[in-house]
Amino acid sequence: MGQVTWWRGGVIYQVYPRSLMDSNGDGVGDLQGIIAKLDYIASLNVDAIWISPFFKSPMKDFGYDISDYLEIDPLFGTMADFEQLIEQAHLRNIKVVIDQVLSHTSDQHAWFEQSRQSRDNDKADWYVWADPKDDGSAPNNWLAIFGGCAWEWEPRRQQYYLHNFLKSQPDLNFHCPQVRQAVLNNVEFWLKKGVDGFRLDAITFCYHDEQLRDNPAKPKDKRQGRGFSEDNPYAYQYHYYNNTRPQTVGFIEELRALINRYPGAVTLGEVSSEDSLATMAEYTQGDDRLHMAYSFELLTDDFSAAYIRQTVEELEASIGDGWPCWAIGNHDVQRVASRWGKAQANPTMIKMLNAMLFSLRGSVCSYQGEELGLTEASIEFSQLQDPFGIAFWPMFKGRDGCRTPMPWVKNDPHAGFSDVAPWLPVAPEHKNCAVDVQDVDSHSILNSYRHFLAWRKQQPLLVQGDISFVDADTNVLAFIRTLDSQRMLVLFNFSGEQCRFDLGKLTLDEAVQGHGLESGYIASDDTSAVILPGFASFYGKLN
């Protein structure tokens, strides 16, 4: 892949810095901890890292509430540490993508501190302010994802401000040209530092409806959670007016024009909307919008061959020349080994799920710990750090279960993550999955992950090819990757039972070997069928 198009089909490893490695003994992971683990990350054969926020923050939402976009929070280190991280990653041919939280700031950001003082200061309209209704109540019915009304009263202005998340995360007013320019200036600061791209958090939330129209109610049978649970009142509305407004596309084009001045830099948007697949397509079409986008559509509890086929086909039908990015886990959802594996989770299944993700058309985000097969950690209420989980306990236990520290050394205190008690406990069951245990086991999930990604780099069809699905048994996901005149059949058995795939009119040339997975095989008694043992995969060249 060229330096400018490295991201097309690239595998991006998500680093949650609080939980990767603690280098200074304060119980929290940091930038030097990431640097210390770059050789390990390089050994995974990924193309890039995406680092969750490390900017100055009061940490009410663990870095997604930024008080200074241009400063490193001392918890994570210094600007010199970040510059060293960029240099060391690039020496290992690892690109560095960083989070940008553009839609809102912390209430401790200097912009908001000024804006809240009066209605006539230089930054008075930099945030979303609105007068109360005649009875003193909030301007409309908008709700915050993290619970309750999306409006908070400010006595100095005698107005409400909008917050789509925590009340300490006020929303910026992107209808204000000065805000857009200030945001672009912040982005360019990091481009000049040498970053290779940005993961754009909550990009659909930049704009709000200037008329502040009420969101309509959503029928009970339509209340699906995408990044929030269905018992959250947020699921009771269609969010037509507080996010995914048409003006967002214009800002994305302004952002892309800036990015284009730095060849090779890439934008990855996080999309959450009423129709996330359609929004992904809209935000990535052409060459003047986002390079790629991902949504929560494969971060749900839904797990079946039919669901994955439907999701990918729906996006493929609308995305045109846009480019998808797929993820089955991240720092916001239950770990995939528990969410999809449930009682069936075993190493063969987890290896297959990773391979399935890496075999779809598009780029990939893979969350730290997925290469170890980590399950969701059980966190007691008294140990919870996540404000989302604290607000909705016990029906929704928050996001801490997927954010626990990485286990590096089984028998070290805190599994080698830190010398002191970490910010979240290491799950006891994770110690058996520690890197030092899996490193020496040639059949481990970790070594399967490494091996498969090395093999994938030698398969242009999997990195760049088109995709089309084939009908199969209920438990089998079947598709064909096509590049120029070459075609590859790809099969995954989502069940623990043996399945049979009939080739029908397809003519198999030969099985493609070397991927290292539990493999299907051509039936000995019938060469027009492929036998798939439980959780097996199959790759084959087609005539």
Side-chain angles (χ1 to χ4, degrees), residues 249-326:
V249 169
F251 172 70
I252 285 171
E253 291 173 349
E254 288 183 61
L255 177 63
R256 179 62 182 266
L258 167 63
I259 299 289
N260 283 347
R261 289 163 38 200
Y262 294 83
V266 67
T267 49
L268 166 61
E270 178 200 38
V271 168
S272 175
S273 69
E274 293 299 335
D275 188 345
S276 292
L277 296 175
T279 305
M280 283 174 68
E282 180 185 18
Y283 284 11
T284 60
Q285 282 180 346
D287 58 4
D288 59 353
R289 297 182 183 175
L290 299 180
H291 294 82
M292 51 185 171
Y294 82 91
S295 72
F296 283 76
E297 298 305 306
L298 294 185
L299 299 174
T300 63
D301 289 340
D302 301 321
F303 173 59
S304 66
Y307 176 74
I308 292 174
R309 174 178 178 172
Q310 174 194 337
T311 300
V312 176
E313 280 191 324
E314 191 174 328
L315 180 67
E316 288 289 331
S318 59
I319 201 166
D321 58 358
W323 190 257
C325 184
W326 296 108

Side-chain angles (χ1 to χ4, degrees), residues 302-373:
D302 301 321
F303 173 59
S304 66
Y307 176 74
I308 292 174
R309 174 178 178 172
Q310 174 194 337
T311 300
V312 176
E313 280 191 324
E314 191 174 328
L315 180 67
E316 288 289 331
S318 59
I319 201 166
D321 58 358
W323 190 257
C325 184
W326 296 108
I328 58 175
N330 71 12
H331 64 289
D332 281 333
V333 296
Q334 188 182 41
R335 282 202 176 271
V336 68
S338 299
R339 197 176 75 250
W340 283 0
K342 296 185 170 62
Q344 293 190 88
N346 64 49
T348 305
M349 180 188 193
I350 294 166
K351 292 174 188 177
M352 181 273 292
L353 289 178
N354 282 329
M356 183 275 297
L357 174 66
F358 298 144
S359 298
L360 297 175
R361 186 185 92 98
S363 303
V364 172
C365 284
S366 180
Y367 181 47
Q368 69 182 40
E370 286 176 8
E371 77 277 18
L372 303 178

Side-chain angles (χ1 to χ4, degrees), residues 382-398:
S382 61
Q383 299 170 315
L384 274 190
Q385 304 288 328
D386 182 15
F388 201 2
I390 292 168
F392 285 95
W393 183 277
M395 301 306 292
F396 173 66
K397 296 183 178 180

